[in-house]
Amino acid sequence: MFRALLPARHLLPARRPPLPRRNLAARAAAGEGLPLGRRLAVVAAAGAAAAAAWLYLREEKGRRQRARRQAELRALALGQGDFRLLDQEGRPRRKADFRGQWVLLYFGFTHCPDICPEELEKLSRAVELLEREPGLPPLQPLFITVDPQRDDVAAMKRYVRDFHPRLLGLTGSPEEVRAAADAYRVYASTGPKDEDGDYIVDHTVLIYLLGPDGLFLDYYGRSKTDAQIAQSVRRHMETYEPLLD
């Protein structure tokens, strides 16, 4: 009854307000209205840009880490000075003889029951792995005794022939050997003799990597494999910068 009394315009359904139109730029950025091929191209380009940014940040982080490591090694500068020793053929050898060469260096002794042979075998295998890669500079394996009382030239010659054919074994007087060990902060202490006069030498068990300037660049403990050592040496060769001007 009341509907009949109302004007006709009041009987029409209420209009809904128009829906807001999305900004055209936003729609274009989202890829709406573009063919499928172009939308895929937009997504691919965005992914490539993100990947490039991630690679740049990773490389920049690596560069900063290398620079920090370089500064630490420069401050440490292990291996400065010189040493004068004899190789297994009785020829005089100085540290300066190895300048310009990459060197893997191990300090040990020929009467060592197990650790020294294991480490020298690992060192030899790492050198062999790198020798298979063309374009890399040669790597000189080097063994310096910490037991000059027993490890004379003849003993070193007998011992090193069981390892890499280019391995050099160096010995000298106790004072000369100590000077070489001190240059790389190698610890060595002779233990008590047993009833047969035999003894063990407690010493640092590390393989040292020396750069072409003769200074310490890295070291590898017993947990490192030959493959891991070779990979690390390769990386150092590829990114090498002299520590001292």
Side-chain angles (χ1 to χ4, degrees):
M1 175 176 157
F2 292 105
R3 289 173 60 87
L5 298 176
L6 291 175
R9 64 177 180 271
H10 291 289
L11 299 178
L12 296 174
R15 287 184 179 180
R16 293 183 179 179
L19 295 175
R21 297 180 63 185
R22 291 183 63 187
N23 183 276
L24 292 178
R27 295 181 65 192
E32 294 182 10
L34 297 176
L36 177 60
R38 292 192 62 184
R39 288 204 302 271
L40 292 176
V42 169
V43 172
W54 179 81
L55 288 173
Y56 170 79
L57 292 174
R58 187 180 69 169
E59 177 61 27
E60 182 64 17
K61 180 180 179 182
R63 188 193 64 77
R64 289 196 301 267
Q65 289 176 339
R66 289 193 298 271
R68 184 168 60 250
R69 176 67 169 165
Q70 194 83 351
E72 293 171 352
L73 291 172
R74 188 176 292 113
L76 192 61
L78 287 184
Q80 295 192 70
D82 200 0
F83 59 69
R84 297 173 183 270
L85 299 169
L86 299 175
D87 67 15
Q88 68 266 27
E89 301 296 336
R91 294 171 298 199
R93 295 281 186 167
R94 301 172 53 193
K95 197 191 81 169
D97 296 339
F98 304 99
R99 191 171 182 85
Q101 302 180 48
W102 290 86
V103 174
L104 274 182
L105 168 63
Y106 182 75
F107 287 84
F109 63 110
T110 65
H111 287 71
C112 181
D114 46 23
I115 294 177
C116 294
E118 291 172 359
E119 293 302 290
L120 285 172
E121 287 175 3
K122 182 169 64 177
L123 182 154
S124 298
R125 290 194 302 269
V127 174
E128 290 170 355
L129 288 173
L130 291 166
E131 286 175 333
R132 299 172 189 169
E133 300 190 29
L136 291 181
L139 179 62
Q140 175 62 55
L142 195 60
F143 170 53
I144 298 180
T145 183
V146 293
D147 184 18
Q149 299 288 356
R150 293 181 293 185
D151 291 344
D152 58 13
V153 168
M156 295 295 278
K157 185 173 184 177
R158 290 192 301 270
Y159 190 71
V160 299
R161 64 188 178 194
D162 291 332
F163 303 102
H164 193 281
R166 291 193 297 106
L167 177 65
L168 289 177
L170 304 185
T171 186
S173 69
E175 294 76 20
E176 291 168 336
V177 167
R178 172 47 54 195
D182 287 346
Y184 297 97
R185 300 186 187 178
V186 171
Y187 166 80
S189 177
T190 302
K193 294 183 178 180
D194 60 19
E195 57 185 14
D196 297 323
D198 197 11
Y199 56 89
I200 293 295
V201 181
D202 185 25
H203 63 91
T204 302
V205 182
L206 291 174
I207 296 173
Y208 294 85
L209 174 65
L210 312 183
D213 54 8
L215 299 180
F216 163 83
L217 279 180
D218 214 335
Y219 67 91
Y220 311 104
R222 296 187 66 192
S223 63
K224 293 293 184 181
T225 66
D226 53 349
Q228 290 172 326
I229 293 173
Q231 181 182 21
S232 173
V233 173
R234 184 189 310 108
R235 185 174 65 251
H236 281 290
M237 288 177 171
E238 293 170 348
T239 60
Y240 174 69
E241 295 179 10
L243 290 178
L244 299 179
D245 297 329

